[in-house]
Amino acid sequence: MNNFRHILCLLLTLFLAIPAMAAAEGGGEKPNTSAVVLAHIKDSYEWHVTDIGKKHIIINLPVIVKSSTGWHVFSTAKFAEEPDAQGFRNGPYNLSIATKGDHAGKIVEKQGSNISLPFDISITKTVAVLFIDAILLLLCILIPARWYRHHKPEDKAPGGFTGLVEMLVSWVEENIIKAGVGEGYEKYSPYLLTCFFFIFTCNLMGLVPFPPGGGNVTGNITVTFFLALCTFIITQFSGSKHYWKDIFWPDVPMALKAFPLIPVIEFVGIFTKPFALMIRLFANMMAGHAIAISLSCIIFVVATMGIGIAIGMSALSVVMSIFMMCLELLVCFIQSMVFTMLSSIFIGLAKAKD
């Protein structure tokens, strides 16, 4: 217990010492907090780990593009560290990373004064983290599966990690999927369980501040768009005759059918439901990351305001950051549950016969 108190005091001392050191060495210059927050949220061709002095610790990722001169595969280490006067980090094959303008953050091809976007399938930070999260998810499922292959149903219930996974699977199956889909839910369980555990894994890994975590996967709208699209396709293919009848020939007065106001509204509703799924998950996770980083940045923003203010605000920042991270742990689970629950309900409503 005493060791724990000593470690806690040391951590707090380090946190509180940061603004004092920054005030002494920073020369009164305030950090660009908006750039820090955006750098964490948005995707990038490099995986920035940390800075040691003026040295950037970066994991270089592969660039895969097709330009006017053909396909090119190389490391982002071949791009210049600093942009030129026009705002381009120049690289090989007339390719550059734009740092400002309409194509900021993207790889462009420069041919004289002409700037174009090549066909780009590079492994960006989000894609790299997505692969890592997928591998972790496979391990989380295959390890319990291996236990079940070597045991009989009448054996003692598993404990540890396998028991935790079994508990989560049983809870999601009984309380979310079965309750939402209804009869015949078994057919949809593989997809819906995958949604829950994939989102939950990505959310948790997004809270880890260093590799292999730190990626804002579910805060990327392209990822949430794909998940919502999968739910949309499954829902429409599961639709019964009653489901389609309620859309194109609802039980309303004939005047409303002749002037198809209600059918148009119902048809638009087909698309608004998955759209809401996409935006809800994206917005909640992106906002959580932005708030957590912003609270941490308070330490450096107030570092030049005097030792007293800096220490007081830094202590408040540490407390609020800890609170926010605890809240984010809850949000990680809730958002996984909400996406799976709403997907189950949409599928259940579509396949209902009356």
Side-chain angles (χ1 to χ4, degrees):
M1 190 67 182
N2 288 331
N3 291 334
F4 174 77
R5 283 199 295 265
H6 292 158
I7 293 172
L8 182 60
C9 290
L10 177 61
L11 289 174
L12 287 176
T13 302
L14 289 174
F15 273 121
L16 297 178
I18 288 173
M21 291 186 293
E25 300 177 4
E29 183 180 353
K30 292 185 178 180
N32 188 348
T33 54
S34 61
V36 173
V37 174
L38 288 175
H40 177 78
I41 292 175
K42 68 181 183 180
D43 200 3
S44 62
Y45 290 97
E46 298 165 326
W47 195 338
H48 181 268
V49 180
T50 187
D51 292 334
I52 299 178
K54 293 184 178 181
K55 182 176 178 58
H56 303 298
I57 307 301
I58 294 172
I59 299 175
N60 292 298
L61 300 173
V63 174
I64 309 171
V65 295
K66 183 182 180 182
S67 66
S68 61
T69 56
W71 284 97
H72 304 290
V73 180
F74 57 93
S75 170
T76 51
K78 293 190 175 182
F79 287 112
E81 290 188 9
E82 299 296 331
D84 60 15
Q86 287 75 38
F88 294 101
R89 291 177 55 197
N90 296 315
Y93 313 111
N94 294 325
L95 298 172
S96 305
I97 297 179
T99 60
K100 59 183 180 181
D102 295 336
H103 303 310
K106 298 180 181 178
I107 291 179
V108 298
E109 182 181 9
K110 295 194 298 181
Q111 295 175 314
S113 59
N114 295 325
I115 297 174
S116 59
L117 293 173
F119 181 69
D120 188 356
I121 54 171
S122 302
I123 305 299
T124 61
K125 177 184 175 181
T126 299
V127 176
V129 175
L130 188 60
F131 286 154
I132 293 172
D133 292 349
I135 292 171
L136 288 175
L137 179 57
L138 284 173
L139 291 175
C140 290
I141 300 302
L142 292 177
I143 291 173
R146 184 176 181 275
W147 186 93
Y148 283 105
R149 281 199 303 269
H150 294 84
H151 290 78
K152 298 178 181 179
E154 59 270 17
D155 289 346
K156 184 180 178 181
F161 179 75
T162 300
L164 174 64
V165 173
E166 180 183 353
M167 179 192 70
L168 281 174
V169 170
S170 300
W171 184 82
V172 174
E173 181 92 1
E174 290 295 323
N175 296 280
I176 298 179
I177 301 175
K178 185 176 180 180
V181 177
E183 185 180 354
Y185 71 93
E186 298 88 352
K187 182 167 61 174
Y188 303 96
S189 288
Y191 167 69
L192 294 170
L193 283 170
T194 301
C195 281
F196 176 85
F197 282 99
F198 173 76
I199 295 172
F200 191 39
T201 301
C202 290
N203 290 350
L204 289 179
M205 290 300 292
L207 297 181
V208 180
F210 48 81
N216 189 26
V217 176
T218 45
N220 188 305
I221 199 166
T222 55
V223 176
T224 59
F225 168 78
F226 178 77
L227 292 171
L229 179 64
C230 291
T231 295
F232 170 77
I233 293 173
I234 292 173
T235 301
Q236 306 318 311
F237 277 95
S238 302
S240 63
K241 293 181 180 179
H242 182 76
Y243 171 75
W244 293 109
K245 176 182 175 297
D246 279 349
I247 293 173
F248 295 107
W249 199 254
D251 294 329
V252 295
M254 186 58 67
L256 293 176
K257 294 178 182 179
F259 180 72
L261 177 62
I262 301 301
V264 168
I265 294 174
E266 291 290 339
F267 182 74
V268 171
I270 294 176
F271 302 96
T272 56
K273 291 175 182 176
F275 180 79
L277 276 179
M278 174 185 71
I279 296 299
R280 178 183 287 107
L281 179 58
F282 159 72
N284 278 283
M285 299 315 301
M286 183 189 69
H289 282 273
I291 293 172
I293 296 297
S294 299
L295 288 173
S296 299
C297 287
I298 291 176
I299 296 175
F300 303 97
V301 171
V302 301
T304 58
M305 296 182 181
I307 297 299
I309 296 176
I311 291 178
M313 290 301 297
S314 297
L316 178 62
S317 174
V318 171
V319 173
M320 291 300 296
S321 296
I322 294 173
F323 170 77
M324 191 64 199
M325 293 302 291
C326 293
L327 184 61
E328 276 290 284
L329 285 173
L330 181 62
V331 171
C332 288
F333 179 79
I334 290 175
Q335 290 305 314
S336 310
M337 181 188 69
V338 168
F339 188 96
T340 309
M341 179 182 66
L342 291 177
S343 296
S344 302
I345 292 172
F346 294 157
I347 295 170
L349 291 173
K351 67 186 288 293
K353 294 181 173 57
D354 49 35

